[in-house]
Amino acid sequence: MVAQVLDLGVDLADPETFTRGDLGAYWRRLRQEDPVHWHPAAPDRPGFWVISRHADLMAVYRDEARFTSEQGNVLVTLLAGGDAAGGKMCAVTDGARHREVRNLLLKSFSPRVLAPIAERVRHNTLRRVARAVLLSECDFAAEVSEHIPMTTISDLLGVPESDRPFLVDRAQRALSSHTAGQSEEDGWSARSDILLYFADLMEERRGHEADDVISVLANARINGVPLSRDEIVLNCYSLILGGDETSRLTMNDVVHTLAGEREQWRLLREGAVGLDTACEEALRWATPAMHFGRRALVDAELHGRLIRAGDIVTVWHSAANRDETVFADPDRFDLARTPNRHVAFGYGPHFCLGAHLARVEITALLEALRRFTSEIEVVGEPARFHSNFLAGFSRLPVRFTRDKAQLSAFAAELRADR
Ligand code: HEM
């Protein structure tokens, strides 16, 4: 049986695998027959383990002592043999140092600091969606979703308004090295521009206490010792890495899904399902970060398979979020689903720091859609993201049917605010 699964010839390291079609049947088979699956080596890369069940994902993530993030937490860096940010950036640091730096970052993610940022997210999303609905047709990715996460991250970092176009431009170039026409060197140079920019801001903010992430990190001390320059700059950059594309892809996915799920759209629009459960289902359905990974520090046994010290272990959120032992009718998009124990944000010590903010963004989008449009149609071929890590659409041509009364009421609100 296992050999048959291997014969399916699915190569999870190859980004093309995810653009070719739905892997639902493959994941179902792995969950049921080979939950700790050995993905064989290829001439250009070593083999790695593939974890597909929800319970096993949680077991690996909570066990930092046996499964480390410090040598990389995604397939690309794990296969390359390590992550230069290991031990410096929160997401790829373990143990006491991880907890200390994460606690510092949490100060900027407290409800008090986030409240005004969340309010701006709502307002910005309403404006962007209203504008998109007024166009006869548009690329939703370019008109709406591209603009929301980076504005939010810039607010968190305290990036001055005048520097934002620069940061957005560099972030796009740094992150879209998988897009056609984008060279690897351009990606590297954009990344180094961002790191240098954060290094300058960090110097400016030393000695000036404030709630934004750069100021918090620049002025923090752990056991009396300031953070290193690399720690500060890389942790600022990690918000862009963690929060931009993941949120954008979820927004694009929910618009695409709602266009095809008319009954669910009707329930949402009529208020028959709540925005909170709808947001969770949108996250489960999209699962924009398909996997994360770890390296085994010691030999470990799981379901009778021996994972050897040094092996790469990949954990597939896209498989765990369809686990039939956890989700009733997992392949059904159900905006009223409760409970919904999805693992789109991971689990354990590295659970997503931006989860609340991402939920604010998705909820704001759902709220704006149901307010301003009565119908969503996909009017052209969407373009899929080319990656073995992130899933979703990079272009999504849509047509919205206007709710004229709501749009006029919103325009009146905006005039009254001026
Ligand atoms: C960690 C997913 C949005 C910042 C993670 C992890 C996942 C995840 C699965 C765990 C990684 C691991 O275990 O190795 C998502 C998804 C998002 C989202 C699906 C949107 C839908 C955000 C946002 C931010 C953010 C908006 C910040 C503005 C981070 C950071 C970490 C993280 C800093 C590392 C936490 C740590 O290591 O302690 N995210 N994320 N994420 N995320 Fe998110």
Side-chain angles (χ1 to χ4, degrees):
M1 289 239 240
V2 170
Q4 267 180 313
V5 171
L6 297 180
D7 284 349
L8 290 176
V10 170
D11 181 358
L12 294 173
D14 180 0
E16 285 298 322
T17 300
F18 304 90
T19 49
R20 259 184 238 127
D22 182 20
L23 290 179
Y26 171 78
W27 289 128
R28 203 168 307 119
R29 201 146 170 198
L30 286 198
R31 279 193 305 270
Q32 285 166 8
E33 298 172 18
D34 193 16
V36 182
H37 168 71
W38 178 249
H39 194 287
D44 57 340
R45 55 153 181 80
F48 53 90
W49 294 100
V50 174
I51 306 290
S52 49
R53 286 187 188 165
H54 192 276
D56 297 336
L57 171 148
M58 296 202 289
V60 169
Y61 278 161
R62 75 163 79 88
D63 194 350
E64 277 197 306
R66 295 198 295 175
F67 301 107
T68 178
S69 299
E70 297 221 345
Q71 296 172 38
N73 70 344
V74 291
L75 197 47
V76 169
T77 50
L78 285 161
L79 289 174
D83 188 326
K88 297 177 199 147
M89 186 165 84
C90 201
V92 282
T93 302
D94 294 329
R97 191 64 182 173
H98 169 251
R99 281 190 294 281
E100 288 159 354
V101 176
R102 184 174 163 103
N103 284 340
L104 286 177
L105 286 167
L106 279 171
K107 287 187 187 173
S108 304
F109 286 84
S110 72
R112 179 182 63 80
V113 177
L114 285 187
I117 295 178
E119 200 36 53
R120 275 198 293 277
V121 169
R122 283 187 204 104
H123 190 71
N124 188 13
T125 309
L126 281 174
R127 272 191 29 242
R128 287 270 169 201
V129 173
R131 262 186 23 195
V133 172
L134 285 170
L135 298 169
S136 55
E137 287 179 9
C138 71
D139 172 8
F140 180 80
E143 280 304 319
V144 181
S145 59
E146 200 172 294
H147 302 272
I148 293 161
M150 273 307 287
T151 307
T152 315
I153 293 163
S154 300
D155 283 350
L156 269 172
L157 289 164
V159 172
E161 289 290 343
S162 53
D163 296 347
R164 292 185 180 199
F166 162 83
L167 194 61
V168 167
D169 171 69
R170 295 305 189 278
Q172 290 222 317
R173 287 163 46 191
L175 296 178
S176 27
S177 47
H178 299 294
T179 312
Q182 169 94 28
S183 76
E184 198 131 312
E185 294 81 67
D186 192 37
W188 279 110
S189 113
R191 256 189 297 280
S192 83
D193 281 355
I194 297 174
L195 296 177
L196 288 170
Y197 172 73
F198 287 147
D200 284 348
L201 270 192
M202 168 189 92
E203 292 306 340
E204 275 175 30
R205 295 199 181 160
R206 276 201 207 280
H208 304 283
E209 299 279 342
D211 291 327
D212 65 84
V213 173
I214 301 179
S215 301
V216 166
L217 296 179
N219 295 303
R221 285 173 178 269
I222 296 176
N223 303 324
V225 182
L227 272 69
S228 72
R229 176 186 184 274
D230 280 1
E231 277 181 307
I232 299 173
V233 164
L234 287 168
N235 278 298
C236 292
Y237 184 48
S238 78
L239 301 191
I240 298 181
L241 279 180
D244 183 23
E245 284 173 323
T246 45
S247 300
R248 281 200 263 152
L249 291 169
T250 311
M251 290 182 199
N252 295 344
D253 189 82
V254 74
V255 169
H256 182 262
T257 306
L258 286 170
E261 295 271 355
R262 284 171 173 268
E263 176 58 11
Q264 292 294 311
W265 167 240
R266 187 185 65 74
L267 293 173
L268 180 72
R269 192 159 147 71
E270 290 174 0
V273 292
L275 289 172
D276 47 353
T277 61
C279 169
E280 297 311 311
E281 184 68 344
L283 283 158
R284 183 185 80 91
W285 200 254
T287 311
M290 290 187 284
H291 78 269
F292 271 95
R294 304 289 188 257
R295 195 177 285 274
L297 287 171
V298 292
D299 288 358
E301 206 188 300
L302 194 56
H303 298 300
R305 306 295 301 264
L306 179 64
I307 298 173
R308 291 202 179 279
D311 282 355
I312 295 171
V313 180
T314 58
V315 176
W316 290 80
H317 301 217
S318 34
N321 272 343
R322 300 289 175 97
D323 188 328
E324 40 289 283
T325 65
V326 177
F327 304 99
D329 207 355
D331 295 324
R332 197 171 107 78
F333 179 69
D334 175 7
L335 292 176
R337 185 180 290 278
T338 32
N340 190 344
R341 293 168 47 220
H342 71 76
V343 283
F345 293 123
Y347 180 79
H350 289 280
F351 180 80
C352 178
L353 262 177
H356 172 68
L357 218 45
R359 287 180 165 124
V360 167
E361 290 170 343
I362 310 305
T363 308
L365 172 65
L366 294 172
E367 204 177 344
L369 288 173
R370 79 174 184 187
R371 181 167 170 190
F372 297 136
T373 177
S374 54
E375 206 173 328
I376 307 170
E377 291 163 87
V378 174
V379 289
E381 197 51 43
R384 274 200 176 274
F385 210 73
H386 189 249
S387 164
N388 64 13
F389 169 50
L390 294 170
F393 302 105
S394 52
R395 185 170 54 83
L396 182 62
V398 287
R399 177 163 50 227
F400 293 114
T401 305
R402 299 172 195 173
D403 184 320
K404 288 188 185 137
Q406 285 292 345
L407 284 164
S408 312
F410 183 59
E413 276 171 38
L414 289 182
R415 278 196 298 276
D417 279 352
R418 271 199 215 120

